[in-house]
Each structure stands twice: as structure tokens, then as C-alpha cells.
Amino acid sequence: MYANILTDISKDFNLTPDNLKEIASCARYEIEQSLSNNPTSLKMLKSYIGLPSGLETGEYLALDFGGTNLRVVLLELLGNGEYKIIKKVAKPLKFPGLYDFISADSTAAELFDFIAATIDEAIAGNHDKKYYLGHTFSFPSSQTNIYNAKLITWTKEFATTGVEGQIVNDLLKEALQRQGFSNVEPIAVINDTVAVLLAAAYKSADTYIGSIYATGHNTCYFESNFNDDTKPMIINLEIGGFSKLAINKYDAMLDENSELPGQQRLEKMVSGRYIGELFAYCLQQGLKLKTLPQFTSIDLSNIINDNSAELTAIQELLKNTLNLTLAIEDLNAVQNLAAAIVSRSARIVAATYCGILWHIFPNAIPKHNIVIDGSVFEKMPTVNRNMHESLQQILTDESDKISLTLENGGSILGAALAAAMSK
Ligand code: GLC
């Protein structure tokens, strides 16, 4: 009854090899235009940090802020890519019914007090010993040195008031003081993509591209050749803002109802925060539902993973969320739709990697490892295969030289490295 319409909707998520090549070329073009100071949809933010030597050592506090959980870790860098975790504290940033520090109802002071209290837990209330803190702050921030990152705009639907336009480490310092301790000194702020790249480069040289494919999506790379006399450093592309993409009706609906209509176009087509919602808009249309249902990227994962003959997991999910029982051909079409959304996501992400590779290696692409952290890359079924297929369609024979590797926990190790490198 619904299969045909769902199948038609799935087709709107199709990307041909030519579409992918065009995305890759446009991504390269925008990177190069930005480097020549021409306006593009990429923010191309300077990080004021290069690559680690691999020899960094010492004890540091690492703060990871920007996903669903806040994490503070005390760790010791041992050099040669090795490190040891001493203490780890993780807290959700929102807890239904109890608190929500990332909604517009919360203030900067409330949020940063919560962060400071979590830091206090990680150092077990020790207010005597000196700690240097590296801060992975996973939002677009403009900086003129490694310390003074100023939040340009929230993304990923974060909305806490009073943080945009502020130097986040100043907010953190004030909160630490309010909590009554000043022995923790925030000394470096980096984006999570930068953190992942630092973490991977700590272990192996010749690593130049780091990416996050999770709640949000973004990529950074090491730029060694600025047009002016800027010294080589990592650039945070904020690729989630890339806008040279054809959007369909469902992308448009999601965008209109988001915190930042018209912005973060690419991120809204690919990242974990949005793909479940995109699926919801499609189902609303395909199943003629009166209201917008709620689905997460985890639902998409479960739908795609349902290998049962009767697609019982999908049937049950639709029964529970929509009170609907569908015929097997409709369930099949629902599964294909979920797969189409995820496949488009993975293929777009891989296409942007090709644009970056073409920029870094304009003559011939050498053997190269792109490092990626994030649950969508790690856990979403079909993502890895689709990314490789996309690389193959764009780079053809050269795609064999590219590997995509999971860099788990890079945000923490990277923050500690940033602190070590800037101390
Ligand atoms: C969003 C943020 C970006 C971050 C990414 C992954 O795109 O704008 O700074 O790197 O999410 O967390």
C-alpha cells in the first residue's frame, strides 16, 4: 500500500558517480578559494596548532565538550603515541526531567558551572596541585592563538544562552573561580576534528586529515602551504556548513524547522543528529502521517540491521512509535528508505574527503590514512562500505591508496596533546 511512494522517496536520496565527483571538486574549489580569502560556504578556521612530534609527555587534564556527553579525563602522555588514563568522568549534558544545559533555557554560567564541577570530580577535589587543561570544544570558533577560541555560532541544535561571541576558556576560568579553585589552568582549545588528527598523528607521522562522523560531522586537515606567511597549521574546515549540494524536499523541511535554517546544509544531510529526523520527514510523507514521528540514528541502525524474514524489528518499532502494522513489502520499502538515507550520508562524506585529498596532493595521491572518530562511522551499518564505494567511484584506481581508520577517543587524547604542545 505504501511501498511505491516510499520507493519514490528513496530515489530522492540517490547520488550518481558524477554527482559525487562534483561534490568532491566543489569541496576542493571552496578550500582553495577560502585560502585566497574569497568568500565560500566553508569557515576554514585556523587552529594555531601543528602536528605533534610524538614525544609529548606529562600529566594533563582533557575536557571534551560538544556531543551528548561531557567528559573530563586526567591522563598521562607517555610519548611515542602512548598514554595512560588516570581518572575519567563522563556526564550527559541533558538528563530528561532533571536538567538540560544545552537548551536555550540554560545560561552560560549554569553550563560552565556544571563543567567546572565535573572537572573538580576528575581531580578528586585536589585544589593544590597544578593542572594544565586542554579543551576540545566541538563548535566553530574563531581564534588568533591556541587559547582564545571564541564561539562563532552554536551548531548541532545547542542553544545555551550567553556563549556565542564569548571566549569559551574565559567562561570556563570564571566558573572554576566560582567553584573555588584556580589550580586548573585551561591553556588550549581545539576543535574535535583537530583533536582526532592530533591523536592519530601522535602515533603515526604523515597523517593529515582528521574527521568526526557522529552527532555532528566535520573535517580538518594540515595545511602546509598558505598563500601568505601563515605558518603551517591545522585548519578546521567546518565542512558541515558546505552548501554546494542539491537538497531534496525532506532536507528542506528539516532545515526550515531547525535552529539555524539555511546553515549547516551538509551536516543536516549526513550527521547522526539529523538523519533520524530526515527519515521521520520521509515517513510522514510516505505513510501519510498527521504528525511528525520521532526517530533517531539508532533507529535507522536497527532498521537496517533487521535481517529477519518478516522484518520483525521494523514492524515492532513502527507499531510502538506509530501504532501501525505494515505489509511485508511496505516494511521492505521502509528498510530501503533508511538504507538510502544512510548511504547518501556516507557517500557525501567520502566525496568531501576526496576534495581535501586533491587539494593536499594535487599531483598524485600517495598512500594515505584518513582518521575518523564517531558513532556513525563506527557503528552505523553500511557506512564503511558506502564510503569505500564512493571513494572508488570518485578516485577510481587511486582509491586503493586510501584507508579510513577509526580513531576512538581522539577528543580526549587530542586535548591533552594540545595542552602539552602549548605549555
Ligand atoms: C559540528 C560543529 C563542528 C564539530 C562537528 C563534530 O559540525 O560545528 O565544530 O567539529 O559538529 O562534532
Side-chain angles (χ1 to χ4, degrees), residues 66 138-140 155-156 191-193 212 216-218 236 238 240 264 267:
S138 315
F139 298 92
T155 50
K156 297 177 281 197
N191 185 257
D192 51 353
T193 54
I212 299 282
H217 167 63
N218 188 13
N236 163 15
E238 284 296 320
Q264 297 300 100
E267 184 158 70

Side-chain angles (χ1 to χ4, degrees), residues 75-277:
L75 64 85
E76 187 181 354
L77 299 174
L78 302 168
N80 299 315
E82 306 275 319
Y83 66 102
K84 191 173 81 195
I85 299 221
I86 301 167
K87 174 96 196 247
K88 189 172 177 175
V89 186
K91 297 261 163 79
L93 287 165
K94 61 174 175 189
F95 200 99
L98 265 185
Y99 62 79
D100 181 352
F101 292 114
I102 58 177
S103 79
D105 297 332
S106 286
T107 64
E110 285 162 345
L111 169 63
F112 281 87
D113 280 345
F114 179 69
I115 298 177
T118 311
I119 293 175
D120 205 13
E121 221 175 285
I123 57 172
N126 183 339
H127 294 173
D128 301 319
K129 188 172 162 183
K130 178 90 186 170
Y131 295 99
Y132 292 100
L133 179 141
H135 183 176
T136 296
F137 183 73
S138 315
F139 298 92
S141 309
S142 65
Q143 47 197 120
T144 56
N145 61 42
I146 189 67
Y147 173 86
N148 66 2
K150 192 187 274 182
L151 174 61
I152 300 171
T153 167
W154 283 126
T155 50
K156 297 177 281 197
E157 311 299 304
F158 277 51
T160 318
T161 53
V163 189
E164 285 175 334
Q166 301 298 312
I167 294 179
V168 290
N169 263 358
D170 284 352
L171 297 176
L172 178 59
K173 270 189 177 167
E174 288 160 18
L176 291 168
Q177 261 152 25
R178 279 196 298 274
Q179 299 284 321
F181 58 107
S182 49
N183 55 319
V184 170
E185 188 181 341
I187 52 171
V189 186
I190 51 173
N191 185 257
D192 51 353
T193 54
V194 177
V196 166
L197 179 52
L198 292 180
Y202 188 47
K203 290 170 263 181
S204 61
D206 296 328
T207 310
Y208 300 123
I209 303 175
S211 187
I212 299 282
Y213 193 0
T215 308
H217 167 63
N218 188 13
T219 306
C220 73
Y221 77 101
F222 181 69
E223 177 61 68
S224 53
N225 208 355
F226 285 92
N227 295 338
D228 52 24
D229 52 8
T230 307
K231 63 176 199 312
M233 65 170 74
I234 303 171
I235 295 281
N236 163 15
L237 291 167
E238 284 296 320
I239 196 81
F242 184 69
S243 66
K244 302 295 180 305
L245 297 161
I247 62 163
N248 64 33
K249 188 161 132 193
Y250 311 97
D251 296 314
M253 289 195 252
L254 179 145
D255 180 58
E256 254 166 51
N257 295 300
S258 67
E259 287 279 346
L260 294 176
Q263 291 181 49
Q264 297 300 100
R265 275 282 162 79
L266 180 140
E267 184 158 70
K268 287 172 187 163
M269 296 166 86
V270 308
S271 86
R273 172 63 183 77
Y274 298 102
I275 50 179
E277 203 171 314

